[in-house]
């Protein structure tokens, strides 16, 4: 007979950790996507030479492991700037910039995938730069960039497990706490994996649905 010391309160504890994972992911993905669109458009418009300072900063966030970024950001905010920021705030800021750094390249690639002839045709019809970007470029670029963006969002959700280093009790940290107390690692890790699957599956399926629908238009 299967026996476990896991209680309803422990499930609630894990659910709260999953909720924290979802909140951190949503905030980081939304903020990072908005910044990524802005950075990506700037990166494309200015070109590699004029956008070199921006590219350098984004490369820092893409190159340094996220764990190190979280530790350094937490130390920088508290020790150097002496800002009384919570670990949650630090985690959201770092993950947002991390997301933006990758999203900027996704946006840039999507814009470059729009045929130049299409853009010239739009401008010949009297469209301004803003109208061209809003009505022509971004809708077409979105179709190209969506699969990569879905992958990025899922990656950020899984990478959010690292925010435990700034004292944020998300899903994986909650699981580790229960493993230490209950000594049932296999069961708890299976439950943790099930939570991650439930969180990520709808996003992956929604992305597949949009991609399929747009490919048939």
């Amino acid at each position: 007979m299967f026996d476990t010391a896991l209680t309803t309160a422990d499930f609630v504890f894990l659910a709260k950790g999953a909720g924290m994972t979802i909140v951190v992911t949503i905030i980081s993905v939304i903020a990072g996507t908005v910044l990524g669109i802005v950075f990506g458009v700037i990166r494309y418009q200015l070109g590699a030479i004029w956008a070199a300072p921006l590219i350098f900063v984004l490369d820092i966030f893409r190159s340094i492991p996220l764990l190190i970024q979280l530790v350094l950001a937490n130390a920088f905010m508290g020790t150097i700037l002496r800002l009384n920021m919570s670990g949650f705030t630090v985690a959201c800021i770092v993950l947002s910039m991390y997301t933006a750094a990758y999203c900027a390249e996704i946006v840039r690639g999507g814009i470059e995938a729009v045929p130049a002839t299409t853009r010239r045709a739009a401008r010949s019809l009297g469209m301004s730069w803003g109208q061209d970007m809003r009505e022509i470029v971004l809708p077409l670029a979105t179709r190209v960039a969506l699969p990569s963006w879905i992958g990025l969002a899922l990656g950020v959700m899984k990478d959010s497990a690292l925010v435990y280093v700034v004292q944020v009790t998300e899903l994986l940290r909650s699981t580790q706490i229960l493993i230490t107390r209950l000594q049932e690692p296999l069961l708890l890790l299976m439950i943790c994996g099930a939570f991650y699957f439930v969180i990520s599956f709808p996003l992956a399926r929604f992305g597949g649905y949009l991609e399929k629908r747009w490919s048939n238009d």
Side-chain angles (χ1 to χ4, degrees):
M1 181 178 177
F2 180 74
D3 187 26
T4 177
L6 198 64
T7 65
T8 302
D10 294 329
F11 273 106
V12 172
F13 182 66
L14 286 174
K16 289 181 179 179
M20 179 59 70
T21 292
I22 293 173
V23 171
V24 170
T25 300
I26 290 176
I27 293 174
S28 301
V29 169
I30 291 177
T33 299
V34 172
L35 289 173
I37 291 173
V38 174
F39 294 155
V41 172
I42 293 174
R43 167 80 171 79
Y44 173 79
Q45 287 297 129
L46 296 183
I49 297 178
W50 291 105
L54 175 61
I55 295 172
F56 176 74
V57 173
L58 296 180
D59 281 344
I60 291 176
F61 283 96
R62 283 197 300 268
S63 303
I64 299 177
L66 182 58
L67 182 64
I68 296 177
Q69 292 185 40
L70 287 165
V71 173
L72 291 178
N74 191 47
F76 182 78
M77 296 293 185
T79 305
I80 299 178
L81 297 183
R82 299 191 180 280
L83 297 176
N84 188 24
M85 284 189 177
S86 65
F88 175 80
T89 302
V90 173
C92 289
I93 291 174
V94 173
L95 274 174
S96 294
M97 290 304 300
Y98 178 80
T99 304
Y102 283 96
C103 188
E105 288 302 303
I106 293 174
V107 171
R108 181 190 61 80
I111 293 175
E112 289 183 347
V114 178
T117 53
T118 302
R119 301 201 65 185
R120 284 196 294 267
R123 300 306 290 271
S124 67
L125 292 174
M127 285 187 173
S128 64
W129 179 87
Q131 290 174 323
D132 175 34
M133 292 296 295
R134 185 175 62 254
E135 303 295 336
I136 304 296
V137 177
L138 290 182
L140 292 176
T142 299
R143 299 190 178 201
V144 176
L146 181 65
S148 297
W149 181 86
I150 293 292
L152 174 62
L154 292 174
V156 171
M157 185 271 293
K158 289 180 284 187
D159 289 338
S160 67
L162 297 174
V163 302
Y164 75 90
V165 298
V166 290
Q167 307 305 313
V168 177
T169 306
E170 40 65 59
L171 178 55
L172 187 58
R173 178 58 179 163
S174 300
T175 304
Q176 292 172 337
I177 292 172
L178 290 181
I179 289 175
T180 301
R181 181 164 62 84
L182 301 178
Q183 296 299 309
E184 297 182 22
L186 183 60
L187 174 61
L188 288 167
L189 288 174
M190 289 176 63
I191 295 174
C192 178
F195 269 111
Y196 274 114
F197 175 78
V198 170
I199 295 171
S200 62
F201 183 76
L203 178 60
R205 290 300 90 203
F206 179 66
Y209 164 76
L210 287 180
E211 188 176 0
K212 182 178 179 181
R213 180 178 177 181
W214 286 346
S215 65
N216 294 330
D217 288 346

